[in-house]
Amino acid sequence: MANETARNIGPVIVLGPPGAGKGTQAKRIVDRYGIPQISTGDLLRDNVGRGTKLGLEAKAIMARGELVPDELIYGIVSSRLREADCQRGFVLDGFPRTAAQARWLDATLEKEIFDKSQSDKSEKCPPIVIQLLVDYNQLLLRLTGRRSCPTCGRLYNIHFQPPLVDELCDVDGSKLLTRSDDREDVISERLAAYESQTKPVADYYRAQRRLVVVNADRTMDEIAAQIFGVIDRHGQDAGGGAAKLESAS
Ligand code: AP5
């Protein structure tokens, strides 16, 4: 694991349906490679919590389990990508979520992020795109069982990763929260939005030979180990890595 927190990692995109474990695996990548997690869901929930203009526009849409319009998302992603901690790379979790968002991201990375970077463009890695696949019934258990700590952000699951004391965080003892969109009626809307609007994103990256499909019906450690292998091989292949990625799945 030498140099994992010093070398350029580039963009890592984690795709998958609601509850697939995108946030869980994004945090593992953050811990290993020292690059930031950019979760559009977290950014939106933060705006909702602070009552910003964006938050007020997004709140009702998210409560229904629908996707927030692309134009609202572009603003928050683009300003986050320009922050200094994204220089070596970043993990995108929950973005892109429509084919239009994927095209926008490609254009933004190419024109604005790479061109303005002080590093030589050839040293940057092309995006690594990981799609997590999970059985439908498992997704429901992951979503209905999810709890999170409002203080430290740690994730739990009452079925798979329960806290030591019911409903309390192991780290700081805070009362755990259930996300408001983890109700069954909203979950079915979120899964429907994934089927109709987000699945084409995987097709987009498959056509570019960038997609790596990962069986996420396994333990968190097994999934993380496979993802780390993909990222590490990608680093070794940087420069001509995109075409070689598919054989890693
Ligand atoms: P967002 O916050 O992105 O939610 P999501 O995509 O529905 O994904 P989740 O956060 O629910 O699941 P996850 O895959 O991260 O799973 P997690 O790791 O938490 O989006 C919310 C809303 O915001 C959207 O509905 C939309 O309205 C809006 N939005 C966001 N981005 C947008 C965009 N780009 N464009 C438009 N609108 C946007 O894990 C889930 C549970 O499973 C946890 O309890 C965890 O502990 C457990 N778990 C994880 N892995 C495993 C495992 N291997 N085994 C057992 N349990 C596991």
Side-chain angles (χ1 to χ4, degrees):
M1 164 160 177
N3 279 334
E4 296 303 27
T5 55
R7 70 177 174 91
N8 276 351
I9 305 296
V12 181
I13 298 168
V14 186
L15 301 177
K22 301 183 294 296
T24 300
Q25 294 301 327
K27 285 183 175 56
R28 301 277 182 117
I29 296 169
V30 167
D31 290 345
R32 181 174 167 102
Y33 297 99
I35 55 175
Q37 172 187 8
I38 302 178
S39 158
T40 42
D42 286 348
L43 291 171
L44 287 167
R45 280 185 286 278
D46 175 60
N47 275 273
V48 171
R50 288 187 291 119
T52 65
K53 183 169 176 290
L54 168 64
L56 293 175
E57 289 183 85
K59 186 175 179 179
I61 301 169
M62 293 172 76
R64 291 194 298 270
E66 297 168 6
L67 294 190
V68 172
D70 290 345
E71 311 75 58
L72 295 183
I73 299 292
Y74 295 153
I76 48 170
V77 174
S78 120
S79 51
R80 183 65 188 87
L81 289 180
R82 280 173 182 73
E83 288 180 31
D85 62 346
C86 293
Q87 280 290 313
R88 290 178 43 246
F90 43 85
V91 194
L92 286 167
D93 147 22
F95 182 90
R97 229 174 171 108
T98 62
Q101 290 182 11
R103 288 191 295 272
W104 176 90
L105 179 65
D106 267 350
T108 302
L109 291 177
E110 186 63 29
K111 291 194 190 106
E112 301 187 37
I113 307 297
F114 285 172
D115 282 359
K116 286 188 182 136
S117 164
Q118 291 174 346
S119 323
D120 179 351
K121 190 170 171 176
S122 63
E123 287 178 13
K124 294 277 182 183
C125 310
I128 301 168
V129 186
I130 291 162
Q131 184 187 31
L132 303 178
L133 291 188
V134 183
D135 168 77
Y136 181 82
N137 291 325
Q138 175 72 203
L139 285 180
L140 293 183
L141 285 173
R142 290 188 188 180
L143 289 167
T144 55
R146 174 167 50 192
R147 302 288 183 274
S148 65
C149 174
T151 309
C152 69
R154 184 164 174 178
L155 275 183
Y156 295 86
N157 190 290
I158 57 170
H159 308 297
F160 307 115
Q161 203 183 25
L164 296 171
V165 179
D166 262 5
E167 303 296 334
L168 296 183
C169 179
D170 295 348
V171 179
D172 50 47
S174 301
K175 177 138 178 49
L176 300 179
L177 299 180
T178 302
R179 242 168 70 174
S180 58
D181 59 353
D182 279 347
R183 293 196 333 256
E184 287 195 33
D185 54 330
V186 185
I187 288 172
S188 53
E189 286 305 318
R190 289 162 62 201
L191 290 169
Y194 173 78
E195 287 293 322
S196 61
Q197 291 167 273
T198 308
K199 270 197 169 169
V201 175
D203 299 334
Y204 174 85
Y205 288 119
R206 187 177 294 109
Q208 297 184 351
R209 302 189 62 211
R210 284 196 222 164
L211 191 72
V212 179
V213 178
V214 169
N215 170 11
D217 256 326
R218 295 180 291 163
T219 68
M220 298 176 203
D221 288 347
E222 288 169 332
I223 300 162
Q226 185 177 357
I227 292 174
F228 296 162
V230 170
I231 295 173
D232 293 345
R233 280 194 296 280
H234 188 64
Q236 288 158 15
D237 292 346
K244 295 177 190 166
L245 271 178
E246 248 191 348
S247 60
S249 60

